[in-house]
Amino acid sequence: MEFPYASLRRFPDVEAPNLQAWDATDELLVQHALAAGAPGEEISVIGDGYGAITLALADAGYRGIRVHQDLATGRRALARNADELGHRTAGAPETPDDHAHGRRVEARRADEHAEHLGFGTDAAAFTSHELAPDLLSGARLVLLQLPKSLAELEEIADAVARWAAPDVTLIAGGRVKHMTLAQNEILGRSFETVQPQRAERKSRLIVASAPREVPDEPPFPVAERIDVPGLDRPLTVAAHGGAFAGAKLDIGTRVLLEVLAAEGRLRRASLAQPVSSRSARSTSHEPEAQTVVDLGCGTGILAATYALTHPDARVIATDRSASAVASARATMAANGVEAEVTHDDAGSEIPDHSADLILLNPPFHLGSSIHAGAAGRLFEAAARILTPGGVLLTVYNSSLAYRTELTKRIGPTEQLHRTPKFTVTRSIRR
């Protein structure tokens, strides 16, 4: 019986009619893995969005597969899909597909570092790993869903050449419309042989083999010293391959930092006045925050800058990308910043009503698709995390109609700054 790809869910990630949990590339990678005949313990899977590759191989009887997923949502979806498929395979009645069940599974499977699921057997079907030696040591077959970022592909290719078996074969695949010749060039830096295959069902595989000699040190994270608004010294930014904007300051973050810097100047000017002469108009939009959350922190620029300019605040930086989290931790260390950095889905591990201020630069893409669902989930998270009266500062593309949505989900929302490309708003939690 063929593997039931259509039964897989994206949950807890955004779900919509035009978004599915697998594609033809997943199926092609599985077919090549089955034909290769490598045992499960010699197979590593990287970039398996919601578990389609891993679970199809497990369903075929493979055990000991090692898997790395960058996104916390993907890890939780894999655990949930495995749980559902495992119940069916073991002959247990199907679990009702409701949100309460999803929350129970999500909580039970939240820590993916030691995830072991055996589909009703004593053997572990797969184990979850970070992009590190334990993921690849001894691996002779690596299956990869090509990432969007060339830098991320470079980091992965180096890791495979560095840590996998000398005779490893890397099979990378993607949708033809998203593939470029630059991907072949990147793979060619780490492998002697790179062979693109014929396209099938609008997907294409690339087979790379014969790893080249690697440099003494991995190429990532990279680090750059950059000037940021509000700081009187350069900030060192560290970035792994999959981190948005790399070690640069993206335009949206810069605009939000400019607003924060202006707010800080306004507050200092207000405090310098005699109390009797201060007016309501002279107070800053920024609250005297005790707990501040950088929600979707990326490389941690917002969190690090805020912590350096507000040393008494408790700063939490969180992101669903493992690459971003590793980058943010390296950024904090490079700047001597003490901040909590967590790999999490929309701040789900942060207690309700615990933050006074949230800084948010939400994405407007889900993978390769433009979709507002990712931002909506972060708005919902902010509403849950903020204390009553707490403030959400959001920067977003000016073309997006987020102000109404922010008012609906958070509370009264005003525009603080607008450029042709970006808008910064302030929302007060009801």
Side-chain angles (χ1 to χ4, degrees):
M1 186 176 69
E2 292 189 0
F3 180 73
Y5 289 101
S7 68
L8 300 179
R9 294 275 305 278
R10 294 168 55 98
F11 183 87
D13 209 342
V14 175
E15 296 187 301
N18 63 327
L19 300 173
Q20 62 184 28
W22 88 103
D23 62 20
T25 307
D26 294 320
E27 297 185 58
L28 290 176
L29 287 168
V30 170
Q31 290 171 15
H32 277 68
L34 294 175
E41 61 270 17
E42 294 182 0
I43 297 176
S44 296
V45 180
I46 301 176
D48 191 3
Y50 304 96
I53 302 168
T54 303
L55 297 180
L57 291 176
D59 192 60
Y62 286 72
R63 296 293 178 266
I65 305 161
R66 286 169 284 175
V67 57
H68 169 69
Q69 297 164 286
D70 182 62
L71 300 184
T73 44
R75 298 182 186 195
R76 294 180 181 184
L78 168 58
R80 186 185 189 280
N81 285 325
D83 184 74
E84 292 295 308
L85 181 60
H87 278 305
R88 287 198 294 271
T89 303
E94 190 167 330
T95 308
D97 187 13
D98 58 16
H99 290 292
H101 168 66
R103 288 194 298 270
R104 289 195 299 272
V105 171
E106 186 174 346
R108 190 167 70 249
R109 310 295 193 201
D111 184 1
E112 296 288 70
H113 290 282
E115 183 64 61
H116 296 273
L117 293 174
F119 291 88
T121 74
D122 292 333
F126 67 88
T127 55
S128 184
H129 303 261
E130 300 303 331
L131 187 63
D134 61 334
L135 169 71
L136 293 160
S137 178
R140 296 179 58 244
L141 178 63
V142 177
L143 307 176
L144 169 66
Q145 266 275 8
L146 284 165
K148 286 175 57 179
S149 161
L150 291 177
E152 185 175 4
L153 178 59
E154 181 183 358
E155 184 170 20
I156 292 169
D158 174 85
V160 175
R162 183 178 300 275
W163 296 319
D167 61 345
V168 65
T169 297
L170 168 64
I171 304 179
R175 302 297 278 171
V176 171
K177 63 182 179 181
H178 301 310
M179 297 178 72
T180 66
L181 291 176
Q183 293 170 327
N184 298 348
E185 296 171 6
I186 293 292
L187 290 171
R189 296 176 192 174
S190 294
F191 294 90
E192 296 281 356
T193 303
V194 177
Q195 297 178 320
Q197 308 297 295
R198 293 183 61 181
E200 297 182 55
R201 296 164 56 193
K202 300 182 180 179
S203 291
R204 187 190 303 278
L205 301 183
I206 305 170
V207 179
S209 58
R212 296 181 184 273
E213 185 176 348
V214 296
D216 291 339
E217 295 295 327
F220 293 89
V222 298
E224 298 284 348
R225 288 170 61 81
I226 63 173
D227 294 323
V228 299
L231 279 185
D232 56 6
R233 64 175 177 82
L235 184 76
T236 298
V237 179
H240 284 270
F244 173 71
K248 307 295 183 183
L249 178 59
D250 72 276
I251 302 173
T253 297
R254 177 182 291 279
V255 171
L256 182 51
L257 284 170
E258 288 171 350
V259 170
L260 282 171
E263 294 292 302
R265 290 192 294 270
L266 182 60
R267 179 178 295 282
R268 288 191 293 273
S270 173
L271 293 177
Q273 299 175 20
V275 174
S276 59
S277 66
R278 295 178 195 170
S279 68
R281 296 290 295 176
S282 69
T283 59
S284 167
H285 292 299
E286 179 191 333
E288 288 286 1
Q290 298 300 312
T291 299
V292 180
V293 175
D294 182 356
L295 189 59
C297 64
T299 56
I301 294 175
L302 285 171
T305 303
Y306 197 94
L308 289 169
T309 54
H310 300 77
D312 294 332
R314 177 194 178 198
V315 177
I316 301 170
T318 183
D319 203 291
R320 69 175 187 155
S321 163
S323 185
V325 167
S327 303
R329 286 174 178 157
T331 296
M332 302 305 163
N335 294 281
V337 170
E338 291 189 9
E340 302 170 42
V341 184
T342 64
H343 186 209
D344 191 13
D345 171 28
S348 67
E349 297 174 6
I350 301 175
D352 295 359
H353 313 307
S354 62
D356 308 297
L357 172 65
I358 292 178
L359 308 175
L360 176 59
N361 181 3
F364 58 93
H365 283 87
L366 282 173
S368 300
S369 303
I370 296 176
H371 200 286
R377 295 187 75 242
L378 293 174
F379 297 161
E380 290 178 358
R384 178 185 63 78
I385 295 168
L386 280 171
T387 59
V391 170
L392 170 66
L393 294 180
T394 309
V395 60
Y396 53 88
N397 291 62
S398 294
S399 61
L400 299 173
Y402 281 166
R403 186 170 174 181
T404 300
E405 190 72 10
L406 287 164
T407 300
K408 176 182 176 181
R409 295 182 188 241
I410 309 295
T413 298
E414 63 175 321
Q415 178 180 298
L416 299 183
H417 185 65
R418 185 182 178 92
T419 72
K421 288 188 175 182
F422 290 96
T423 296
V424 177
T425 56
R426 167 183 178 258
S427 305
I428 305 296
R429 177 71 167 87
R430 292 185 185 89

